[in-house]
Amino acid sequence: MATLLYRIGRFAFRRRGLTVLLWLLVLVGAGVAASSAPPPPTDTFSMPGTQSQKAVDLLKEKFPAASADGASARVVVRAPSNQKISNPKPKKNVAALVEDLSKAPQVVAASDPFTTGAVSKDGTTAYTIVTYKVTALKVSDKAHDALSKAAADARANGLRVEMGGDAVPVKQAAGGSSESVGIGVAALILLVTFGSLVAAGMPLLTAVVGVGVGISAIGALGSTLGLSSTTTTLAMMIGLAVGIDYALFIVSRYRAEMAEGRQREEAAGRAVGTAGSAVVFAGLTVVVALAGLAVVNVPMLTKMGLAAAGTVAIAVLVAVTLVPALLGFAPFKVLRRRDRKRIAGKPLSGRQRRKAAKRAARQRPNLGARWASFVMRRPVIVLLFGVLSLGAVAAPATRLELGLPGEGTMAPDTTQRKAYDMLSESFGPGFNGPLTVTVEAHDAKTVGKDVAAKLSDEPGVAEVGSVTPNKAGDTAIVNVVPDKGPTDDKTKLLVKNLRGDLARVGRVHGAEILVSGQTAMFIDFSKTLSDALLPYLGLVVGLAFLLLILVFRSFLVPLKAALGFLLSVSAALGAVVAIFQWGWFADIVGVDQPGPIMSTMPIIMIGVVFGLAMDYEVFLVTRMREAYVHGESSRQAVVTGFRHGGRVVSAAALIMTSVFSGFITQDNVFVRMIGLGLALAVLFDAFVVRMAIVPALFAVLGDRAWWLPKWLDRMLPDMDVEGEKLSRRLAAPRDLRAARDHEYSR
C-alpha cells in the first residue's frame, strides 16, 4: 500500500500540471452534468415493513384522491374576546377569509368550517383546510404571499388567525453565517498550525474541490437514482470534514519530510506513502460507517449514507493526488517562513541530513511530546479520570427518548406553534395527532361500523369519526382522535393497544385492519430507528474492527479504539439528552421547549462521529506504529506519535468543533441538536479519548498492545500502512551503492 501510494504521490508531484488539469476537468464536467440533469425528485418518506407504510400504500391504491400528495394549510381562526365565531360579524369575516384563500394561486379548495363541522364545542374557534394542487416544495412565493395576505386581512377585521401545515413556510434564520464563521475559524486554526497562508489554504481548497465534485455528481445522478436535494446535506457536512482532515495530515507529513532534508519530490512521495496510507484506511472506516446506514431499512437514510460515502471516497482520491500536485506548485511556501531559507537551497547530502536529524533531536520536546510523557508517567490516574468523567456525562443517555419534531415543538412565537396550541385548547390535545384506522374487507363498511363501536369503548380515545368507504366498498377509513397529545406516552400506548385489539377483530371478520396516521407513522419511525441502532452499531464497529486489525496488526489497539468511540459518543448523547430532553442549560443553548430527541439524531451522529473518531485514531496511532516497527520501545513510540501527530490531530478536532458549533445558532431545533452533539462528540473523542485514554492504555499495556496471535498474523495480508517495506525499498539502493564503494576501495 505505502509503495503504491509513494509512486502515486511522486507522479502527481512531477506531473502536477496534468493532475490539476484532470481534476479541473472532472469538477467542470460534474458541474455541467449537474446543471443539465433533470431536477431531483421531491423527498419521499417510506418505512418498508411497518404497519404505517402498509396503510399508506393501501390508501394510495384504494383512495387515490384522498392520498393525493398536494400541500395543505390549516388556518385556525378565533373570534374576538367574549364572542362566538358563529356571531354575524365574525362569521362574515371567516367567510371572507375562506373566499380569499380559495382564490389564492395554486389552491384547489378551502373548506368552509361551518359546513364541515370544524367549529369547537365552545363556539370560539374554527379552522379551514386549504389544499393545493402542488407539493409543499413547489408552492410558489406568490401562493405563500397570498396566504399571508389573507391571514393579515382577517386579523385586521378583528379575528385571531394562525396557520399550520406543510404549505406554510417556516421562518429560517439568515443563512450562511454559521458556515462562514466555521470556515473562518478553520482557516485561522490552520494558519496558526502551519504558520503559512499557502499551507493553511491548501486543505480548504482541496476540500472544496472534493465536495464540489461529490455534490455535483449527486445532482447529476439525482433523477436517475432518486436522490433528493436533501441527500446532499450529510455529504457536504462529512465531505468538508474529512477533506480538510486528509489534506491537513498529508501537508503536515510533507513538511516533516522536508525538515528531515528530503528532496521535494521525494518528500511528497513519502508523505503520500505514509500519511496517505492512513488517509486511505481512515477513509474506508468512514465509508463503512456511512454505507452501514443501509441496515436501518429507511430508503432516505440509505441514500444519504451512500451519497456521503461516495463524497468521502472522492475526498480520499483528492488527498492522495491533488494535494501532492499542489505541493509541487508551492514546495517551499507551505513551510514556515523561518524554515524556507534553511530548506529551500540545494538538496541536503546524507551527512547534512544526519546533522539535521541530530539537531532536531536536541530541540526541546513540543507540547504533544510533553503531554504524552506526562500521561506515560501517570497512566492509571489519567485513565480513571478520563473514563469516569465521560461515564458521568454519558449517564443521562440511559434515559434517551426518541421522537420526531412537529409543530408542537417549534418556537412559541411561530404561527405554526400558535395554531397548534389553539387547536389543542379548543379541540383537545389529541386533535393535533389523529389516527387513521384502515379496514380492508369484502364488506368494509359493515366491518368498519363494528370497528368504530370497538374504538368508542377503547380507553384513551376521545372521538371516533364516521366510517368512510371507497367506491368499490372493499376498504373503509375511520378517523380516531386520542385524548392525549401526539408525543404523549399514553398515545404511544394507545397505538400499541389498538393494533393488538383490532388485529383480533380483523381475524374474526376475515379483514385486515391497520392503524396509521402521522402520529402512528412517527411512532413506527422512532421504533424502526431504535431497533436498528444496535445492529447498525455492531455492523459498523465490527467491520471497522477487522479493518483496523489490518492497519495496526494488533488485536487490542482496534478494540480500545472501538471502546473509546462508544465512550465518547455516549457522553455526547448524554449531554444532548440533558440539554434538549431535560432542559438543563436550555436558556444558554436556546431550547424553547424540552422534548424527545429527534429519532434520526443518534444514528446519524454515530455514523459521522465514528468516521471522525477513527480518522484521529488512525492518524495518531499509525505514527506510533511506524516508530514502533522502526525500533523504538512501546513507550517511546507513543511520545514520538504525539510529537508528530498530536498538534495536527488537535488542529483537526478544533476545526471540526468550530464548524459543527456554528450550527447551534440556527433556528431549527434538529440542526442545533446535531450541531451541539457532533461538536461535543469530537471534543470528547479527540481530547479525552485519543489524547488521554489512548496513551494511558498504551502505558499500561506496553508491548502487549501490539500483540496479535501468530496464526492470525500469518493469515493477514501485510498492508504496510506504516511504510516499513517502503523504507527498506528506498534504503536498498543506498546500501547497494555503499557495498559497491567498499568493493572498489579494496
Side-chain angles (χ1 to χ4, degrees), residues 249 367-376 378-379 382-383 385-386 390 560 564 568 613 616-617 619-621 624 638 641-654 682-698:
F249 282 99
L367 180 60
R370 295 199 300 274
W371 168 252
S373 298
F374 169 80
V375 175
M376 301 302 282
R378 300 170 179 83
V382 173
L383 182 61
F385 178 79
L390 289 183
K560 70 169 182 55
S568 59
Y616 303 146
E617 176 76 13
F619 287 125
L620 193 60
V621 180
M624 299 178 193
V638 173
F642 270 81
R643 182 171 68 248
H644 292 291
R647 180 185 180 92
V648 183
V649 168
S650 299
L654 288 175
V682 169
L683 279 178
F684 292 152
D685 195 87
F687 293 103
V688 181
V689 174
R690 309 303 156 190
M691 294 290 181
I693 294 177
V694 166
L697 281 173
F698 270 112

Side-chain angles (χ1 to χ4, degrees), residues 52-75:
S52 294
Q53 187 62 45
K54 191 174 182 179
V56 168
D57 296 338
L58 180 63
L59 288 174
K60 285 183 178 179
E61 178 187 352
K62 303 295 184 178
F63 290 85
S67 60
D69 57 357
S72 66
R74 189 158 56 179
V75 181

Side-chain angles (χ1 to χ4, degrees), residues 74-150:
R74 189 158 56 179
V75 181
V76 186
V77 292
R78 180 169 287 174
S81 300
N82 301 321
Q83 293 190 42
K84 301 289 186 181
I85 199 71
S86 57
N87 288 351
K89 185 176 180 180
K91 186 174 182 178
K92 179 182 177 181
N93 292 333
V94 170
L97 171 63
V98 172
E99 184 178 359
D100 290 342
L101 293 172
S102 301
K103 295 178 180 178
Q106 299 179 318
V107 170
V108 175
S111 64
D112 184 350
F114 299 105
T115 59
T116 59
V119 179
S120 63
K121 291 181 179 180
D122 60 6
T124 62
T125 307
Y127 66 89
T128 173
I129 302 295
V130 185
T131 55
Y132 290 76
K133 63 180 69 174
V134 296
T135 61
L137 293 177
K138 294 183 179 179
V139 176
S140 65
D141 291 338
K142 288 184 178 179
H144 286 150
D145 293 340
L147 180 63
S148 300
K149 184 178 184 303

Side-chain angles (χ1 to χ4, degrees), residues 417-441:
R417 174 62 182 279
K418 291 176 181 178
Y420 181 95
D421 291 341
M422 287 171 64
L423 290 171
S424 295
E425 294 167 5
S426 299
F427 294 89
F431 188 81
N432 285 295
L435 303 174
T436 302
V437 177
T438 306
V439 179
E440 186 180 21

Side-chain angles (χ1 to χ4, degrees), residues 2 249 253 273-282 548 550-553 557 560 614-630 637-638 640-642 644-645 649 694 698 706 719-724:
F249 282 99
R253 187 59 185 258
T274 52
S277 297
V279 164
V280 169
F281 280 96
L548 292 178
L550 285 176
V551 175
F552 298 125
R553 305 195 74 79
V557 170
K560 70 169 182 55
M614 294 304 104
D615 277 358
Y616 303 146
E617 176 76 13
V618 169
F619 287 125
L620 193 60
V621 180
T622 297
R623 201 64 191 255
M624 299 178 193
R625 169 79 180 171
E626 183 179 343
Y628 181 75
V629 299
H630 289 161
V638 173
T640 300
F642 270 81
H644 292 291
V649 168
V694 166
F698 270 112
W706 305 107
M719 307 306 295
D720 191 32
V721 178
E722 67 279 349
E724 183 182 8

Side-chain angles (χ1 to χ4, degrees), residues 660-696:
F660 294 142
S661 296
F663 292 98
I664 300 175
T665 62
Q666 295 290 318
D667 278 348
N668 188 285
V669 175
F670 175 65
V671 174
R672 289 206 303 269
M673 192 182 296
I674 196 72
L676 179 66
L678 291 176
L680 291 176
V682 169
L683 279 178
F684 292 152
D685 195 87
F687 293 103
V688 181
V689 174
R690 309 303 156 190
M691 294 290 181
I693 294 177
V694 166

Side-chain angles (χ1 to χ4, degrees), residues 433-730:
L435 303 174
T436 302
V437 177
T438 306
V439 179
E440 186 180 21
H442 179 70
D443 186 2
K445 185 175 182 179
T446 302
V447 177
K449 290 181 179 179
D450 292 341
V451 169
K454 172 68 176 175
L455 292 171
S456 300
D457 297 332
E458 192 77 27
V461 172
E463 182 181 343
V464 178
S466 59
V467 179
T468 306
N470 65 345
K471 291 182 179 180
D474 58 357
T475 307
I477 297 175
V478 182
N479 290 319
V480 180
V481 177
D483 60 10
K484 298 295 181 182
T487 60
D488 195 284
D489 288 338
K490 292 184 178 179
T491 303
K492 298 177 184 178
L493 182 61
L494 174 64
V495 171
K496 181 180 178 181
N497 292 338
L498 286 181
R499 285 175 170 171
D501 294 343
L502 295 179
R504 289 189 289 271
V505 174
R507 286 193 293 270
V508 172
H509 291 279
E512 184 171 27
I513 304 175
L514 305 172
V515 179
S516 63
Q518 187 180 61
T519 300
M521 184 170 288
F522 283 4
I523 293 171
D524 286 347
F525 185 65
S526 297
K527 187 177 186 304
T528 298
L529 292 180
S530 180
D531 292 343
L533 194 59
L534 288 180
Y536 171 70
L537 197 57
L539 174 68
V540 168
V541 173
L543 290 177
F545 179 79
L546 296 177
L547 191 62
L548 292 178
I549 287 180
L550 285 176
V551 175
F552 298 125
R553 305 195 74 79
S554 163
F555 182 81
L556 295 178
V557 170
L559 180 61
K560 70 169 182 55
L563 294 177
F565 155 74
L566 293 176
L567 194 58
S568 59
V569 80
S570 297
L573 278 175
V576 168
V577 169
I579 294 171
F580 289 92
Q581 185 176 310
W582 293 355
W584 294 6
F585 311 108
D587 294 337
I588 299 175
V589 182
V591 179
D592 297 310
Q593 178 177 326
I597 304 303
M598 176 74 174
S599 300
T600 54
M601 194 267 182
I603 206 159
I604 290 178
M605 194 171 81
I606 285 172
V608 175
V609 174
F610 183 83
L612 295 177
M614 294 304 104
D615 277 358
Y616 303 146
E617 176 76 13
V618 169
F619 287 125
L620 193 60
V621 180
T622 297
R623 201 64 191 255
M624 299 178 193
R625 169 79 180 171
E626 183 179 343
Y628 181 75
V629 299
H630 289 161
E632 292 187 9
S633 67
S634 178
R635 298 176 70 90
Q636 184 57 40
V638 173
V639 177
T640 300
F642 270 81
R643 182 171 68 248
H644 292 291
R647 180 185 180 92
V648 183
V649 168
S650 299
L654 288 175
I655 289 171
M656 292 306 100
T657 301
S658 64
V659 171
F660 294 142
S661 296
F663 292 98
I664 300 175
T665 62
Q666 295 290 318
D667 278 348
N668 188 285
V669 175
F670 175 65
V671 174
R672 289 206 303 269
M673 192 182 296
I674 196 72
L676 179 66
L678 291 176
L680 291 176
V682 169
L683 279 178
F684 292 152
D685 195 87
F687 293 103
V688 181
V689 174
R690 309 303 156 190
M691 294 290 181
I693 294 177
V694 166
L697 281 173
F698 270 112
V700 172
L701 295 173
D703 290 338
R704 290 170 295 181
W706 305 107
W707 172 79
L708 187 69
K710 292 183 179 179
W711 62 269
L712 184 58
D713 187 44
R714 290 192 297 268
M715 289 176 57
L716 295 177
D718 188 359
M719 307 306 295
D720 191 32
V721 178
E722 67 279 349
E724 183 182 8
K725 289 182 179 179
L726 175 62
S727 298
R728 290 200 302 265
R729 176 181 174 276
L730 296 176

